[in-house]
Each structure stands twice: as structure tokens, then as C-alpha cells.
């Protein structure tokens, strides 16, 4: 068997130039800060097991992480509940939009941690006496995944809390089902702050690598979560990470990933690398159009597809 291509040999700026010529998709307009995103922002980064990170141009441009935070919230909830989070949130794909107002039939649990209902719950399972402490613990946890101190875009956090009507509805529904402990407003506030965390492609690739490499941050050497937690999270990224586009994603890209409305995608290729791509225009499932294309190209060029032999 020949060994897979060396990620160091890939010209990420050449790949980026090819992507820039691709048009299509629309930028999310749920809050003004997202609507104002530059549609031509386009960046890629690869974080490797030896701690090096390969980047294209613009890999240091900050953006709010949005739903790409969900795998990390799930990881922190698993740690802080000693695995009990697995009983409190489902792990089945929904085939529905990320913000569908729907819980698992029969149990009243959120269907999985990668849709909004699930992430509202996992964020609320992170340890902390009240919303401020919980948000502080989330910020520390996300920073450990990133290997640097992450900041929150306060405007984004404020607007998402204020304008996230569907998230408020989901939180109330979960309260009514007895699934959510904190008040609906506190749950939305904590989740909104997590979504408003500022990252860049380089940072997000390191976060993805930490999950891909069994829970150890390749840059800092710190064990952030156990190998078991990392495996559980990456498994659910594989089945649910791209919402109602997860099946199509798995066939075409074959790498566990999480999409987000800021146009970022975080990828975790087990044992191989973490990657991040960002470009704000989205398709109908809320996946970055160029990000999807970039992920297909990375998967092909580096032979990352989980099921290709
Ligand atoms: N903050 C967004 C929301 O909850 C995140 C959604 C996403 O990135 N898909 O609506």
C-alpha cells in the first residue's frame, strides 16, 4: 500500500484561487453582522499532527464561529456530565434544517447535538453556576481546543440573543418537555455567546485537529478531552454535522465535519489532520458553497475520504 500524499506538498493559495472563481450561494442575513460579511472572504488551513499549521491567504481573518462551535460544546458537555449528555441528547440525523422546531419523538430530547436544539442543550450542560460562569467555562474550553485565548464578538452575541426567535422557541419547548434545566432565556444567551466566539481559519483548523487526533491539541500538546470523548464527537459530526446535507457530504467528501452560517466548515479527519475552510456564501442547507468545493478538493488531493480504499 502506498502512503497518502503529504499535506505539506499542497499549494493552498493555488487551491484558493481556483475557489474564488466559483460563484453562487447567498450570505446569511439572520443578523446584521453576518449579512455584512465579505462574500469574497476565502481561506483554508490544515493543522497537522506535528503541530504545524498550513494556511492560505486570509487564514487570519476573524469571523464568528457560529454552528462550527457545536462539536466542541458537545465535547465539553460530555466531559462535564461524565458522559451523561449521551442520555440527554439523541445522536440520530434529522434530515431537517438546523433550526427545525422539533424534538425526538417519544423522548422529547433534542435529536442530536449538531442542530440548534441539541446545541442549546449541550451548552446548558456545561458546568457553571449561572449563565456567566457557564459562558466563562465554555470560553476556557474552546480556548483549550484552539490553543489560544478566544474572544467573543459582543455585538454578535447580543444580536443573536435578541433576534434568535427560533432558538427561544426551541428552548421553551425543551423546558416544557423537562429536557432543559436553566431558563430558556439563559440557555439562549449562553448558546448565542458560544456562537459569537471569534476564530479564524487557522484557529478552527487546530480545533478540528484536536478532535481528529484523539483529544490532544497538536499545537500545545495539551490533552483537552479524552480519546473516547473525541471519538464520540467525531462520530456524530460524521452522521449529523452537515444537517440535512450530511449524507451527500459523507459520500462526496467523506470527512466528519461541521458547517456554519458564517460560511466556515471545520473538518476532523481521524488520525490525519484538522482543517478549516471559510467563505460566507451558503447553499440551501446552510453549507458554504466554496467550503464544500474546497473540502471535496482537499479530500481528493490528500486521500482523506473515510471509505475510499
Ligand atoms: N447562531 C446561529 C443560530 O443559532 C447558528 C446557526 C448555524 O450556524 N447554522 O441560528
Amino acid at each position: 500500500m502506498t502512503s497518502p500524499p503529504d499535506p505539506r506538498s499542497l499549494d493552498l493559495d493555488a487551491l484558493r484561487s481556483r475557489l474564488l472563481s466559483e460563484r453562487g450561494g447567498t450570505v446569511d442575513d439572520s443578523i446584521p453582522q453576518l449579512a455584512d460579511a465579505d462574500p469574497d472572504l476565502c481561506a483554508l488551513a490544515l493543522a497537522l499532527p506535528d503541530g504545524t499549521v498550513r494556511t492560505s491567504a486570509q487564514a487570519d481573518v476573524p469571523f464568528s464561529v457560529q454552528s462550527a462551535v457545536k462539536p466542541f460544546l458537545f465535547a465539553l458537555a460530555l466531559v462535564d456530565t461524565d458522559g451523561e449528555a449521551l442520555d440527554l441528547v439523541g445522536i440520530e440525523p434529522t434530515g431537517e434544517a438546523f433550526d427545525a422546531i422539533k424534538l425526538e419523538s417519544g423522548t422529547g430530547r433534542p435529536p442530536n447535538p449538531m442542530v440548534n436544539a441539541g446545541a442549546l442543550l449541550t451548552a446548558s450542560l456545561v458546568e457553571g453556576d449561572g449563565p456567566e460562569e457557564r459562558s466563562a467555562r465554555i470560553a476556557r474550553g474552546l480556548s483549550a481546543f484552539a490553543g489560544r485565548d478566544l474572544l467573543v464578538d459582543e455585538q454578535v452575541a447580543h444580536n443573536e440573543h435578541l433576534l434568535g426567535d427560533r432558538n427561544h422557541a426551541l428552548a421553551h419547548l425543551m423546558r416544557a418537555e423537562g429536557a432543559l434545566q436553566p431558563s430558556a432565556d439563559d440557555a439562549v444567551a449562553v448558546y448565542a455567546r458560544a456562537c459569537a466566539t471569534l476564530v479564524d481559519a487557522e484557529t478552527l483548523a487546530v480545533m478540528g485537529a484536536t478532535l481528529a487526533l484523539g483529544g490532544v491539541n497538536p499545537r500545545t500538546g495539551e490533552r483537552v478531552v479524552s480519546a473516547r470523548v473525541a471519538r464520540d464527537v467525531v462520530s456524530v459530526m460524521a452522521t449529523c454535522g452537515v444537517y440535512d446535507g450530511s449524507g451527500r457530504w459523507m459520500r462526496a467528501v467523506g470527512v466528519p465535519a461541521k458547517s456554519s452560517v458564517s460560511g466556515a466548515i471545520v473538518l476532523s479527519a481521524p488520525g490525519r489532520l484538522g482543517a478549516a475552510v471559510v467563505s460566507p456564501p451558503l447553499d440551501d442547507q446552510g453549507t458554504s458553497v466554496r467550503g464544500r468545493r474546497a473540502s471535496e478538493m482537499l479530500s481528493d488531493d490528500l486521500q482523506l475520504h473515510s471509505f475510499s480504499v
Side-chain angles (χ1 to χ4, degrees):
M1 226 152 97
T2 54
S3 50
D6 184 353
R8 271 164 286 252
S9 63
L10 208 61
D11 184 343
L12 291 179
D13 280 313
L15 213 153
R16 177 176 178 273
S17 306
R18 270 159 57 205
L19 289 168
L20 276 174
S21 61
E22 302 226 3
R23 302 271 146 199
T26 40
V27 175
D28 179 82
D29 62 358
S30 58
I31 58 167
Q33 287 79 9
L34 288 171
D36 285 347
D38 173 10
D40 284 325
L41 165 65
C42 184
L44 302 97
L46 302 176
L48 308 179
D50 67 1
T52 58
V53 184
R54 308 245 321 136
T55 55
S56 73
Q58 293 193 303
D60 58 351
V61 174
F63 52 85
S64 60
V65 64
Q66 299 297 334
S67 285
V69 79
K70 289 170 176 166
F72 307 99
L73 292 177
F74 182 35
L76 296 175
L78 285 170
V79 171
D80 284 3
T81 62
D82 210 7
E84 207 202 324
L86 277 172
D87 298 325
L88 304 174
V89 57
I91 53 167
E92 301 302 335
T94 63
E96 294 192 56
F98 66 91
D99 55 357
I101 311 284
K102 211 165 169 187
L103 300 178
E104 200 173 65
S105 64
T107 67
R109 306 182 301 180
N112 70 64
M114 302 297 147
V115 292
N116 285 16
L120 281 158
L121 184 70
T122 55
S124 81
L125 293 174
V126 174
E127 212 165 87
D129 201 1
E132 283 85 18
E133 269 193 29
R134 191 164 297 122
S135 285
R137 153 87 181 125
I138 289 173
R140 282 195 304 277
L142 297 177
S143 297
F145 275 109
R148 69 175 179 85
D149 284 341
L150 299 178
L151 301 173
V152 168
D153 183 323
E154 296 295 339
Q155 288 290 326
V156 170
H158 176 79
N159 280 340
E160 295 222 20
H161 184 193
L162 197 70
L163 302 174
D165 287 327
R166 298 185 73 83
N167 290 333
H168 285 276
L170 279 166
H172 282 289
L173 192 58
M174 286 193 286
R175 290 269 309 168
E177 290 290 339
L180 185 72
Q181 296 310 316
S183 75
D185 196 57
D186 282 355
V188 176
V190 170
Y191 167 72
R193 261 193 101 69
C195 287
T197 304
L198 286 168
V199 294
D200 52 36
E202 177 172 0
T203 304
L204 196 55
V206 174
M207 296 175 77
T210 303
L211 287 176
L213 302 171
V216 176
N217 183 317
R219 217 170 210 189
T220 62
E222 183 189 350
R223 171 161 295 285
V224 181
V225 293
S226 69
R228 180 53 193 251
V229 164
R231 192 186 83 175
D232 283 345
V233 173
V234 174
S235 303
V236 180
M237 289 165 77
T239 51
C240 309
V242 192
Y243 310 123
D244 42 342
S246 295
R248 202 157 57 97
W249 177 274
M250 211 48 192
R251 188 199 67 81
V253 181
V255 179
K258 182 73 209 78
S259 56
S260 78
V261 292
S262 49
I265 303 177
V266 57
L267 298 97
S268 297
R272 297 281 305 279
L273 52 80
V277 289
V278 59
S279 165
L282 309 174
D283 67 14
D284 291 343
Q285 274 90 35
T287 309
S288 166
V289 171
R290 290 193 191 105
R292 162 185 289 281
R293 189 71 202 105
S295 302
E296 289 170 359
M297 295 199 276
L298 287 174
S299 176
D300 286 348
D301 289 354
L302 299 175
Q303 296 174 15
L304 295 175
H305 198 299
S306 304
F307 304 117
S308 65
V309 178

